[in-house]
Amino acid sequence: MDFEPLSIGNEVVEFEVGDSAGEDDGTGLDLRHPDDLVERSASSGAGDLSSSDVDPILEPCEGMEFDSEQAARIFYNSYARRTGFGTRVSVYQRSRRDGSIMCRHVVCSREGFRRGGSESKSKRRRTVTRVGCKAQITVKKQSSGKWAVSKFVKEHNHELVPPDKVHCLRSHRHVSGPARSLIDTLQAAGMGPSGVMSVLIKESGGVNSVGFTKIDCQNYMSSSRQRTLGSGVQLVLDYLKQMQAADPGFFCAVQGDFDNLAGNIFWADASSRKNYAYFGDTVNFDTTYRMNRYRVPFAPFTGWNHHGQPVLFGCALLRNESESSFIWLFQTWLDAMSGSHPVSITTDQDRIIRSAVAHVLPGSRHRFCRWNVFREAREKLSDVYCSHPNFEAEFQRCVNITETVEDFELCWESLLETYGLRNNEWLQLMYNARQKWVPVFLMDTFFGEMSIMQGSDSINSYFDGYINASTSIQVLIRQYEKAIAGRHEKEIKSDYETLHTAPVLKTPSPMEKQAANVYTRKIFKKFQEELIETLAYPATIIKDMELEAVYRVARFGEDHKAHFVKVDVFSKKACCSCQMFEFSGIMCRHILAVFRVMNVLTLPPQYILTRWTRNAKSESLPDDYMVGFPSNLQESLTACYENLRREAIKYVEDGAKSIHSYTVAMDALQIAAQKVAASKKCGLGLEQKTLIKGCQIQSSRCTDEKIQELTSELANASLQCEEYRRKLLAVLKDMEEQKLKILVKVRNVRLNLKG
């Protein structure tokens, strides 16, 4: 049954006055608090007319008197509940003498018609609820002070609601005091709306006895969380002001201003902004707090660093979850990241978030978090999960394991047929959106995950173990700083392991040795797994053209699960039907098997993503990212030293690969040394900070052109070597064939001589 959600942000609405429910009508009574209404009415002598004491066959009639207007409303609403319709307070008349209300109309909630103008402005069409029903009651104040029924219209022009659905009508929904206490207790324990409603239904003896709907419960929990924040938000704002003053690279924004605490808050420190410059190709917007009903509506932007560890791109406190607020948040976050759009972004499947992402990041591939989808499936399909223990495993296998679109479609149809779910609305909804969460439809886009299963095991939570459902806003900042320190320590440890310990090589392959020297340890282990697997994956050429070839690759004994690799013979650019490289940035076993057949002994440069290498954070940042970052003297000197050291290491590695590149590198180094010496002489009279800046610019200009030239020459030399090697192998093959023919001829001659 369709019904309008009840806004618990203003507690509970019992009656609606015209088009603005809960409006103060001069009685001094806030109609948004029915507890207050009942108490006031009882004190006015209306206790005999409460819903629990009224004769079930009693209905309004002209001349019936009440002690107060409120008593008349309660009586008519109680009658409406028994009959099966909702009520709404309509027009009233005031006394010209003292302005008090003298006449009140209480009507059926389906009275009148919706205005045409408001419908055109609405972003989504609302259900038509007003059909011009004439049912109503009119009460007038008598000279004695009592209120009498002057008009009663009983007939309705629509069907009445059955007793088991009447609790869905707005005027009969009310979150009572005991229910609020229980909800607060369960929410503090981390339980979500579905779990809370299950407890309430069990305690009340059925869904009809609860007195309100799941939407009412969810709205009350949301408003309760806002009340819980209280003055704690000011503590967060004070902290952000302090950080902004101390760190020029710290970015902070409030929806509205710092004095308006009703809007969302976003912040990102200098480290987060730099991390985005290195690893901002894929982003996760983590809204775990919404599913687990955290006390603090805290949502971080995260990604993956070069070790495959969660990395932070900024944080938000979401005090307002409207579409405009999410648009503001995404746009503000994008501004903090210098307007650089990610390749992909992962969020939950909320309609408002989907709309905001489409508005702010139209060019980014938007994906739903599979962990959230599977979590919601357990809620929406709870009956199926309970009655069919194997369903969950088969459902996840259908989503995660299928390797082609055709396989997924067949598996999905089989799942619906086996478990009788063809008419399930939620599954149909998720199927319609399958391009946004089923991996087989997303493999052509980079998401930075090492495997398909990574996105379904758990959400990428940077603050896992630091912030949970019981974390209050008063301790949020302390836990936030602990999380940053802990993650930084783990990155340093991984850096040390990568740079100062040697991995165990399992093959004599030059490609494995190259990968061990280029990739971070975790990424190398993943690459090593793929490389070793090539031993069980023979590659067979099925189409050989002059510049392009197509190979069929399948695991030994599993020919029915073959993949196809198309490769450019000259440039060694390959594309596999599994699309693992496009999805994770790591070469798949199928392409590596083809390279083994083609005698490609080292990884082509285009297949080594900088973001997965040990030098991922040594690249120079764009000028946009340097604006506002710390620039004091000591930090600048340290940055100069680190940048020059890293560039020099790369320069030496490239220059020492051959005699030709060594000669070019030495010539460039001598020219660079002369320019550095000249810059020292020119800069003797400059201030030290200006000199540092000049050194940065000049040293960059000194080496950029030569490094680019070297890189280009190395690439050309590599291509020439590959071509020479291919021709040499062809010559050797011909020589072997000629040798074999000669041996055959010699054997024949010997046989003839013996004969």
Side-chain angles (χ1 to χ4, degrees):
M1 177 178 179
D2 295 331
F3 53 86
E4 297 181 8
L6 179 63
S7 175
I8 307 298
N10 292 326
E11 297 300 324
V12 183
V13 181
E14 179 75 17
F15 296 97
E16 182 175 88
V17 185
D19 291 322
S20 56
E23 181 180 348
D24 184 5
D25 57 7
T27 64
L29 178 68
D30 186 355
L31 298 181
R32 296 171 297 186
H33 297 267
D35 289 341
D36 183 25
L37 176 64
V38 172
E39 181 181 350
R40 289 279 299 274
S41 300
S43 64
S44 302
D48 295 337
L49 294 175
S50 63
S51 60
S52 61
D53 298 328
V54 171
D55 186 343
I57 64 171
L58 187 63
E59 65 179 32
C61 61
E62 294 185 9
M64 181 179 289
E65 291 188 345
F66 301 90
D67 290 341
S68 66
E69 177 201 348
Q70 290 81 11
R73 297 189 202 177
I74 292 175
F75 173 78
Y76 190 62
N77 196 57
S78 177
Y79 163 76
R81 183 181 182 91
R82 297 194 310 272
T83 306
F85 67 96
T87 63
R88 176 165 48 84
V89 177
S90 185
V91 297
Y92 56 86
Q93 297 175 2
R94 292 185 180 273
S95 169
R96 294 182 179 179
R97 184 174 66 254
D98 56 10
S100 62
I101 294 178
M102 301 299 295
C103 180
R104 170 73 73 180
H105 298 266
V106 184
V107 300
C108 173
S109 60
R110 309 197 70 175
E111 178 267 348
F113 298 94
R114 182 174 295 149
R115 297 189 184 97
S118 60
E119 181 69 26
S120 60
K121 298 178 182 178
S122 177
K123 292 186 178 180
R124 62 187 179 95
R125 298 183 64 86
R126 298 175 60 188
T127 304
V128 176
T129 57
R130 300 192 181 184
V131 295
C133 180
K134 301 295 184 181
Q136 63 164 299
I137 184 176
T138 301
V139 291
K140 291 184 178 181
K141 190 174 183 179
Q142 308 298 305
S143 57
S144 62
K146 299 230 180 229
W147 289 73
V149 177
S150 61
K151 182 179 181 181
F152 171 58
V153 179
K154 180 180 179 180
E155 293 74 20
H156 297 263
N157 66 347
H158 56 86
E159 292 185 2
L160 298 177
V161 178
D164 62 334
K165 299 292 192 301
V166 74
H167 66 282
C168 297
L169 295 172
R170 185 171 183 175
S171 64
H172 305 312
R173 285 151 54 192
H174 165 48
V175 183
S176 64
R180 295 178 192 177
S181 299
L182 182 56
I183 292 173
D184 291 341
T185 302
L186 297 176
Q187 183 180 14
M191 189 175 292
S194 297
V196 171
M197 281 300 295
S198 298
V199 174
L200 290 169
I201 291 171
K202 184 176 180 180
E203 290 293 324
S204 303
V207 65
N208 300 340
S209 304
V210 174
F212 51 89
T213 66
K214 180 183 174 181
I215 293 179
D216 303 331
C217 179
Q218 185 171 340
N219 288 338
Y220 174 77
M221 292 174 71
S222 178
S223 64
S224 177
R225 186 171 61 238
Q226 297 298 328
R227 292 192 300 272
T228 301
L229 293 179
S231 60
V233 176
Q234 189 59 51
L235 297 176
V236 175
L237 291 177
D238 292 341
Y239 169 80
L240 298 180
K241 289 179 181 179
Q242 181 182 357
M243 291 297 297
Q244 200 170 33
D247 181 2
F250 191 89
F251 183 98
C252 175
V254 176
Q255 192 175 9
D257 53 60
F258 274 104
D259 297 324
N260 178 16
L261 304 182
N264 292 333
I265 304 171
F266 170 79
W267 72 92
D269 60 16
S271 177
S272 296
R273 299 172 70 189
K274 288 181 180 179
N275 283 334
Y276 185 79
Y278 297 125
F279 310 115
D281 40 15
T282 184
V283 176
N284 294 279
F285 181 54
D286 184 358
T287 52
T288 303
Y289 82 90
R290 306 181 85 194
M291 280 71 73
N292 295 339
R293 292 293 146 186
Y294 283 11
R295 295 174 65 187
V296 179
F298 179 73
F301 291 87
T302 62
W304 306 104
N305 68 7
H306 50 321
H307 299 292
Q309 301 167 337
V311 62
L312 189 63
F313 298 147
C315 301
L317 275 180
L318 299 175
R319 309 197 70 224
N320 187 328
E321 298 185 15
S322 65
E323 182 177 333
S324 61
S325 291
F326 275 112
I327 290 176
W328 173 89
L329 175 61
F330 287 128
Q331 188 61 59
T332 302
W333 168 77
L334 194 63
D335 292 343
M337 303 301 139
S338 298
S340 178
H341 290 233
V343 173
S344 61
I345 182 170
T346 304
T347 73
D348 67 36
Q349 58 270 31
D350 182 79
R351 178 188 60 83
I352 293 177
I353 294 180
R354 294 204 309 264
S355 179
V357 170
H359 185 273
V360 180
L361 303 169
S364 300
R365 186 73 179 272
H366 186 199
R367 178 182 70 165
F368 301 157
C369 177
R370 254 176 304 139
W371 183 85
N372 288 339
V373 174
F374 290 146
R375 178 202 60 79
E376 188 173 345
R378 285 191 291 272
E379 175 185 324
K380 299 291 186 180
L381 307 174
S382 57
D383 293 341
V384 182
Y385 274 64
C386 292
S387 58
H388 301 284
N390 295 329
F391 173 77
E392 182 174 14
E394 292 188 29
F395 178 53
Q396 294 194 11
R397 190 182 302 115
C398 174
V399 173
N400 293 327
I401 305 302
T402 50
E403 297 182 350
T404 66
V405 174
E406 292 76 14
D407 289 344
F408 168 77
E409 298 289 351
L410 290 174
C411 187
W412 186 271
E413 283 295 318
S414 175
L415 200 68
L416 297 182
E417 190 67 30
T418 301
Y419 294 98
L421 298 172
R422 193 168 297 280
N423 296 324
N424 185 276
E425 293 183 4
W426 183 82
L427 281 175
Q428 184 60 48
L429 184 68
M430 297 312 300
Y431 176 78
N432 293 339
R434 60 192 180 280
Q435 288 86 357
K436 287 186 176 292
W437 66 280
V438 178
V440 73
F441 295 97
L442 298 162
M443 295 298 293
D444 59 345
T445 304
F446 181 79
F447 284 96
E449 294 177 359
M450 299 297 102
S451 68
I452 298 299
M453 296 302 295
Q454 184 175 346
S456 58
D457 290 340
S458 63
I459 196 168
N460 168 29
S461 181
Y462 182 91
F463 294 93
D464 187 25
Y466 296 95
I467 296 176
N468 53 42
S470 61
T471 302
S472 67
I473 195 168
Q474 285 74 18
V475 300
L476 172 67
I477 296 301
R478 183 167 69 250
Q479 294 301 105
Y480 163 81
E481 292 183 334
K482 284 184 179 180
I484 289 179
R487 293 293 183 183
H488 182 62
E489 182 64 28
K490 289 182 179 180
E491 182 177 339
I492 291 177
K493 183 178 179 181
S494 298
D495 282 339
Y496 178 84
E497 182 182 5
T498 296
L499 297 174
H500 300 288
T501 62
V504 177
L505 302 182
K506 299 182 180 180
T507 72
S509 167
M511 187 178 292
E512 184 184 16
K513 184 177 181 181
Q514 175 197 17
N517 294 328
V518 172
Y519 287 132
T520 60
R521 182 58 48 83
K522 181 176 180 179
I523 306 305
F524 168 71
K525 288 181 178 179
K526 178 60 181 176
F527 174 83
Q528 189 179 53
E529 291 176 7
E530 296 296 317
L531 183 65
I532 293 174
E533 283 293 326
T534 61
L535 300 176
Y537 281 78
T540 305
I541 190 167
I542 59 175
K543 185 181 294 185
D544 188 5
M545 295 171 282
E546 184 177 352
L547 299 177
E548 195 174 77
V550 179
Y551 288 81
R552 186 179 186 274
V553 185
R555 187 179 181 85
F556 182 77
E558 298 181 0
D559 291 343
H560 61 288
K561 294 183 178 181
H563 286 277
F564 298 91
V565 177
K566 183 166 63 175
V567 58
D568 187 295
V569 177
F570 183 73
S571 67
K572 303 300 181 289
K573 183 177 181 180
C575 178
C576 180
S577 59
C578 78
Q579 297 183 308
M580 175 178 165
F581 179 77
E582 288 81 0
F583 184 77
S584 66
I586 299 175
M587 292 292 288
C588 67
R589 60 195 65 180
H590 314 110
I591 294 180
L592 293 176
V594 171
F595 281 174
R596 180 166 53 84
V597 172
M598 295 177 62
N599 291 310
V600 178
L601 301 181
T602 59
L603 276 175
Q606 65 265 29
Y607 292 111
I608 301 177
L609 293 191
T610 302
R611 62 124 47 240
W612 292 135
T613 67
R614 57 180 63 192
N615 294 322
K617 300 180 77 170
S618 64
E619 297 290 329
S620 299
L621 290 176
D623 293 338
D624 291 345
Y625 281 95
M626 300 306 295
V627 175
F629 286 163
S631 58
N632 63 64
L633 178 60
Q634 188 60 42
E635 289 182 355
S636 296
L637 287 172
T638 303
C640 283
Y641 177 82
E642 285 296 323
N643 289 336
L644 287 174
R645 182 181 66 82
R646 290 170 178 169
E647 292 296 331
I649 291 174
K650 290 195 299 181
Y651 188 73
V652 170
E653 290 176 352
D654 291 340
K657 288 183 177 179
S658 68
I659 297 299
H660 175 69
S661 61
Y662 169 77
T663 303
V664 175
M666 286 300 296
D667 292 342
L669 195 59
Q670 291 176 1
I671 295 173
Q674 294 174 2
K675 291 185 177 182
V676 170
S679 69
K680 287 182 179 179
K681 294 179 181 179
C682 295
L684 289 178
L686 298 176
E687 294 181 359
Q688 195 167 11
K689 189 177 287 188
T690 305
L691 176 61
I692 292 169
K693 184 176 180 181
C695 288
Q696 287 178 318
I697 297 173
Q698 290 185 20
S699 63
S700 177
R701 290 177 178 174
C702 288
T703 57
D704 280 351
E705 294 182 0
K706 288 298 177 182
I707 290 176
Q708 187 175 1
E709 181 181 346
L710 279 173
T711 303
S712 177
E713 291 182 5
L714 286 171
N716 292 332
S718 297
L719 292 175
Q720 291 177 2
C721 288
E722 289 291 338
E723 184 63 22
Y724 293 151
R725 188 159 59 90
R726 188 176 67 83
K727 292 180 178 179
L728 180 60
L729 289 172
V731 172
L732 290 173
K733 185 177 180 181
D734 291 339
M735 291 175 64
E736 289 291 333
E737 292 177 353
Q738 293 296 329
K739 181 180 177 180
L740 182 61
K741 291 179 180 178
I742 293 173
L743 288 174
V744 172
K745 289 181 180 179
V746 169
R747 181 177 296 178
N748 291 334
V749 170
R750 287 177 178 176
L751 291 174
N752 292 332
L753 290 175
K754 288 181 180 181

